Each structure stands twice: as C-alpha cells, then as structure tokens.
Amino acid sequence: MKHWLRRQRYLADFTLAALARRRVKNTGLIVIYSIIVFVLASAMMFSAALRHEAGTVLAKSPELIVQQLVMGRHEMIPGSEIEKLAGIRGVAAVKGRLWGYFYDSVNGANYTFMVPDDDSYDLQPGEAILGEGIGKARDFTWDTAPLFVTSLAGKMVKFTVRETFADDSALLTADLVLISEADFRSFFDLPPDVYTDIGVSIRNEREIGTIVQKAQLVMPNARFVTRSDIERTYQRLFDWREGLMTALAAAGVLAFAIFAAEKASGLSAEEAREIGILKAIGWDTGDVIAMKLWEGGLISFGAFLAGTVFAYIHVFSFQAGLFEPILKGWAVIYPDFALAPYIDGLQLATLFAITVIPYTAATLVPIWRAATADPDQVMR
Amino acid sequence: MISLKNVSKLYNEGRPNEVCAAQDIDLELARNKVTVLTGPSGSGKTTLLSMIGCLTRPTTGRVFVDGAMVSGLPEKFQTELRRTKFGFVFQRFNLIRGVSVIENVMLPAAPLGPEYHELRERAQSRLERLGLGAKADMPIEFLSGGETQRAAIARALINDAPVLIADEPTANLDTVLTERFLEIVGELQSEGKTVVMTSHDPRIWQSSHVNTVVRMQDGRIIGVDA
Amino acid sequence: MIFQTPILALLLISALSSVVMLWAGWFALRLLLRWDLASGSRAQLEMERATDLVSTLFGFVMLAQLLSLLLYVFNADRMATLFVGAMCAVGTLNNNDWGFPTLYAKLAIFFVATMWLILDRADRTGHDYPLTRVKFALVLLIVPLVLAAGASELTYFLNLQADVITSCCSTEFTADTEDAGLGSDMSSLAPATALWLLAASGAAVALIGAVSLIWKRGTMLFAAAGAVFFVVALTAIISVISPYVYEHPTHHCPFCILKPEYNYFGYVLYVPLFLGTAFALGAGLLQPFRKVESLAATLPARIRKQVALSLASFVVFGLVVLWTIWQSQLILFG
C-alpha cells in the first residue's frame, strides 16, 4: 500500500512536470474541455435551480385546487361549494381564492392580480403590494410611487404601494399585484361570493386520492388539480428543456471526444521519445499507462473544476445571462432575479458522467498505444 | 553471466523490407568483465546490445541471464529484469528535458515506489561520485556534453544494477572526456560490475580497461579478442 | 421521458460499456483460440500487449458502472415526483417491469467486474500469464451480462409511463400486503429474529475468517459465508435496521436511507457491506489457483490480504449497525 501510494506520487510529480513542459498544447485542450463542462453545467444548474424554486413555492400552496368548469371551460366558482368541500373527512381547511390576469395597455404587459391567501398581509382597500417587475415596466421613479391602472370598465384606479417583493422570489412574483378582496371585486366587477377557484388543504397526503373521489361525487362539474400534478408538470417542463439542451450538447461532447482522441494519439516526436526512454530505463507498460491516466485525470479534474465553478458563477451571480432566452421563455415583464444557489450530488455525478467519461473513453486506446511503444526504439 | 544461444533478429519480419540484423549468434559474457562490441555501422552491434539488455526479444534463439531464460518472458518481467539487472547509457544519452538533473537520475527507480528522501539521497550520492553534486537541481539542458554523459551514467547506477550497458558512449566526446569515461568504467569494474558496450572508437577497444572485444560484421560475429 | 440529463448519462455509460465489452469479448474469443505462450510470434506478442489494454478498459468500465449504479438509484429517487404514487426510488423502479431487473443486473456487474479485476491483479504478478485463459473465459461470461443490463435499462427508460400508478416502499416493504413479494417477505421477518440471524452469521463469518487467516484453511467456506452474510445483512437492513434509521417501526424501505433527508446514511451502511462481500468472494475465487507454480510465492499472501480486508469491511459494517441502533430514538425491544 505504502509503495503503491509513493509510486502514485512519483507518477503525479512526473506528470505535472510533463504537463508544464507542454503548456501550450494542454492549455488549448483544457480551455475547450472547460467550455464543454461550463455549457452543460450551466444548463443543468439553471434548470435544477428553477425546479427547486418551483418546488419551494409549491410547498406553500394547498394540496388540492378545485376549479368550476362550464362546457369544459374555467368559470367562477360559487362560495356555496366551500361548505360542501369542508364537509369531507380528512379536509383540514378550504379557502376561496381570487386571482386573475390584467392586460395593461400602457406598456403591453400582463399582470397577475391576486388577493393573498395569507391573512397576515392585512391589505387595506386602496393598498397594493407589487412584484419588482411592475415598477420596472412602468418606469417608477421611486420605489413606492402609486400605481395607476385603468379597469376594464374604464375607471382609473389608484393604489398606494405598500411594499415591493424582494428580488429573491422574483421568478414567480415579478408580475404580481396583491390587493384586498374588496378592491379585487370592484376592479374586475365581480359579484360577491364567487371565487376564481378553491384551495383545499388536506391533513394526510396519502388520502388525497380518496378525497378527490368523494369530492367528484359532490361536485361533478369541477376539475381537481392536486399539488403533485402541478409539481409533475413543472418538473417535466424543466426536465424536458434541460434534456433537450443536453441532447444538443451531445454533438459538442462528441466533437470534443474526437478532438481529445486526436490529441492523445498524435504524440509529438518529443513525447514519443520520452515514453521510449522511460520504457528503456525500466518503466513498464502499466507504469506509462498509469502516468498517462494521471495526465488525463489532472486535465479532467482541472477542466471539470473550472467549468463547474464558472457555471456556478454564471448561473447564480449572473442569472445565466447566456441561456435566459432558451430556458425561461418570453414575456414583456421579464423577471430579473437571482436564483437561490442549489446543487445536489445527482447533478454533479451526471455532469461527471457526460463529460469526463467520454473524454476518458476517447483517450484510453491512444494512451495504451503510446505506452506499448518498443523500448528499443531509443537505441535505433 | 549472460549467454546468447543461436540468436537471430529479423526486423519487419515477413514484409518485403525484411532485414536480418543479427544471425546465429552464440556469445558468452563473463561476470565482472568489460566487453566491447565493435564493427562498422550496420554490423548489428546495437541490435545485439538491445537483446543482451532485454530491450528487444530475439526472433529466434534464447537469451539467458544468470542461467535463467529471459527471452520468452512477458514484457512486464523483461522490464523488471531491465530495472534490476541493467543500467543503460544511450548514445544520445536520452535524458528527459525540462526535468532537473537529479530527477532524471531518480526516474528509473520511481515505479518501485521507494521512500522519496531515501531515493533522493541515493541519487545525490551517485551525482557526487561523478562530480555533479553541485548541479543536481539544474535543468538537464544546462549541462555540457561531458556532464550530460556523467548524468546518464548516474542514472544507470541508481538501481545498483550489476550490469552497465552503454551504446556508443564516447561518440560525442573529445579525448579528455573519453579518458575520463574509461576511468569511470575501470572504477565500476573494480567494484564488481560487468560492463558491455558498443563502440567503433579505437581509443575504447585499445584501452587497457577493456577485457574482451567482439568484432562483428553483417550481423555475425567474426572474431572475439580476449 | 428519455430527454432527461441523468437518463442520457446512464444510457451513454451503457452504450460505451457495451461497445468496450463487445470488443473485449471478441478479443477474448481470439485469445482463447490462439493463445500460445511458447510461440514468440508477432500475433502472440500483440495479444500479450493487448491484455494490458483490456485490463485498462475493464477498470474503466468497472468505474463507469459503479458510477452508473449510484446514478441509477439517485435518479430513480429524484424522478419519484413524476409518477403518481411514487415517494422514492422504489416507486420509480416499479413503474414498469424492467426497473428492478436493471438494478439487479447493475449489482451483478459490480460484483463480477470486481472479481475480474481481483483475478487480473493476481494474474499480473505471475511471470507466465498463469490465469490469462481463466480471466478471458470469464470475460465471455461478463459480456452478455453487460449487454443485457444495457438493454434492460434502455427498455425501462423507454417504457416509463407517467400515468401508471406505481406502488412504492410503503406497500412494497410492508409486512402485511397481500401480494407477498420478496421485499415483504424480508420485512415481515421479525426484527428480533433478523438481528439474531445477523449476529449469528456475523460471528460465523468472523470465526471462519479467523481460521482462514491463522490456519490458512477454509477460505472457500469463508467466501460462501461472506455471500450468506450479504443476503442476511440485506434482509436485516429491510427488516430492522431501516426502521431504526427512520425511527419509525413500519418504514422498511432500503432506498430511502440513501436520501439526503437521512444524511445519505445508506451509503455508510452499503459501501462496507458491498466491499466486504466483494473481497470475500475474491478470496474464494483466488483460492483454487494458489498452487499454480508462478503464483505459489505471492498468491497465499494475497488471499489472506483479501480475507483481512473483507473482515475489516464487515467489522465496519457491524459497527455502523450497532451505532445506528444505539443512537436511534426508536425502541423496538424493551
């Protein structure tokens, strides 16, 4: 064991010196390698962070959402349905929710108007809480400038802005306007006691299926959307985009693998001579292979580290500036936000598998070929 | 100590450019003697030396070292044998550029995984003995021709191998340095080492340090002068 | 479903491994037909050199497959949110008939490839390629396994259905389900019995191992005991150790312990168990060759080292188990 470790140390020492001697050749390789890792890592980290963000938000939403359907289209739901749902065993709380979209003709943007579920906001009539995108879209000169909007009926309404959401949840709050229930009903001309939909909280998550079955009997016209349905849809959406990026990047990885194989087999005369010398003075094929594997390992490690770190900075400090258009979608109010840094082992293992493994696979045969050089060539 | 029985070596076997570099060679090399293989270029002396030093296998015939047949061994064990029995000095010295003198000297021992400081001291003592102690940490390309050759000898001695193999060791040296080389060979012999080298330099095979001269031509031995 | 990065990564590893193994299989066939150490022919020399390449490639496939095993379980766990009824890896793997067979094939590859590498290392210490034929005959057995694992994995991923309601660990590893599968058999084993069995087989392994180390006999028995211990330990993990980790008497899942929520504790449990078993099997594998002339000098020492490493790994496993029980808030016996 001790000998094994020391042998590895000599090999690593020699490899480092060899890498330093061929600085130009290796720098090019590492730069291209790092770029491949960087692109893939950025795509993966970005969509994982979005997934994570969506998951965090969903964790706060009710387990089940009930929507009224009329001829297959979404309709306002009467408040009387709340009682029916509350009567089902296992239901912890039922709450009518009010939300809707509003097209702002001033700047062509869509806002989401919403009455907060959470009573702790305690919004008074005339007050509003805004997402940070709205102030930007309206060119607010100061943070709490009042918001003027024209309702559908043509009425001009003024809201005093109590606060603006912080940037860190901007993905979901950028276009959000929270107002009181009274304001909401008058702004959209809604009758009292109807709701956009109903949120149902359920005590035991395993009973959701049973509760949905029972509720379907009571409300045959309703659509039931569970939280895990939404979660699944989100996950699939993000996964699919990420997967598509990866599949596209596969072409890049393949090109890189070919390039790496080329580099590894095109030994310079100098390198071939060195290997010949080493073999002649008592290095065995296995020693040379081990030395070359060290070389590949150090290059991979460096490129993997550099690519991952730069991707991390790119995604979490610069909001993935290079990929935004592909991964986020298009909208006038574009959320300008910092993603919460989030990485897990699966991502790193996957990243490793799709970058380092192709590189290693591409270089093994050339390495072996170089290592089996005849030792007597140094005599010729 | 080393014997060759009916050894031949073909290069590019079975192809139109087949060359027979050595043919039907029987040779016995005695322990603790200095042997020189000589002959015109292309006479097969370097090929013979390669086979003696287990750098290449004969196409036919057998090579024995200390009574054990080594020509059929797998490559791995030929390497091991090279490491333990032979030290090599090549015609162009073949030191690795960009690596310091002492690290070059340490290289043959590295795969064995010896303790670093112990190996470094061993390398230092070899260099000092050859008058290079002060230049141990210099890059190899800063040494002069004679110094480079002595560094190569130091490298050949690092594993305490009983046989020193040298291919045209004095081809790039002037008379003074050639004398110095022969002195070193004499010292090694007095320590009990066996030396085998090729040379077409009359200063070598006329030297009093040399015990046996093997004359070669066209891949065959044409005479042995003891 | 296939356009998911971890799945693409897994398929990539399978594809590369299959290509390597196909080549290795073809080489093995040639070698078994033409290997002749006495001949110094160019073909023979080239074959001898190529064995170095095969060893290197095999080490690479082995590492890639190990990564693939981890990735497979990890990914199944993460994908659980995509399937109705799935709470962890078990639910995802139950989505269709190919999930668990793929996992078992990957585990089998891990053990077989480890065996091969142990044999390879032993072979390289002999100067006349003493085990080369055995080694390459074994390659011919491994090739179909790797190909089958790759095919099974591909079938599994292509047939993942989002709308299938899968059964997860809560039903799979519950003692009183009607469809008594292997999992429920293992978890229905009474905790006390499972612990006694574990202790007894552990003691047996230790005893046989000690005999093998001191008197140099019974190594084959030790390998068999190691294999038995592996099965008993897995049963004990499902029956009694997992509940201790979850601090919940009816949660038996052997996969949830790998999750971050439980601090990846499962790895601490599984890694020494797998290593110990692999070394034990390796010792048994080498045993028949200890009299081979060119290995006689080194092989007995190597076998004893394997036995010692195996015992050490099992001891670590035992300590981890004891620690789990000791620090758990759950009281099963009282």
Side-chain angles (χ1 to χ4, degrees), chain A residues 11 19 34 61 211 235 269 283 302 314 376 378:
Chain A
L11 292 175
L19 283 175
S34 308
S61 71
I211 289 172
Q235 299 281 12
W283 285 38
H314 169 225
D376 69 331
V378 288

Side-chain angles (χ1 to χ4, degrees), chain A residues 1 4 44 51 206 228-229 231-232 235-236 239-244 246-247 279 284-286 289 293 344-346 349-350 352-354 356-358 360-361 364-365 368 372-375, chain C residues 1 3-10 12-13 16 46 49-54 56-57 60 63-64 67 70-71 74-75 78-85 87 121 124 162-163 170 264 305:
Chain A
M1 193 68 195
W4 185 85
M44 290 175 61
R51 264 200 306 264
R206 292 186 186 179
S228 46
D229 285 336
E231 203 176 343
R232 215 165 291 143
Q235 299 281 12
R236 222 169 275 159
D239 280 355
W240 187 81
R241 284 184 179 183
E242 180 195 326
L244 204 64
T246 314
K279 291 205 71 176
D284 151 30
T285 305
I289 290 180
L293 288 180
D344 66 25
L346 177 66
T350 306
F352 186 84
I354 56 180
V356 175
I357 286 191
T360 314
L364 279 182
V365 174
W368 166 78
T372 48
D374 278 321
Chain C
M1 278 290 174
F3 275 115
Q4 302 222 13
T5 319
I7 295 181
L8 293 172
L10 282 166
L12 172 78
I13 293 178
L16 280 176
E46 274 169 10
R49 284 185 173 179
T51 57
D52 269 321
L53 176 61
V54 176
T56 313
L57 288 174
F60 165 71
L63 286 178
L67 180 68
L70 294 177
L71 210 56
F74 224 151
N75 177 59
R78 190 201 60 127
M79 280 179 75
T81 49
L82 297 183
F83 305 107
V84 182
M87 321 277 271
R121 279 191 68 101
R124 282 149 161 270
D163 42 3
S170 55
Y264 303 105
K305 202 169 131 194

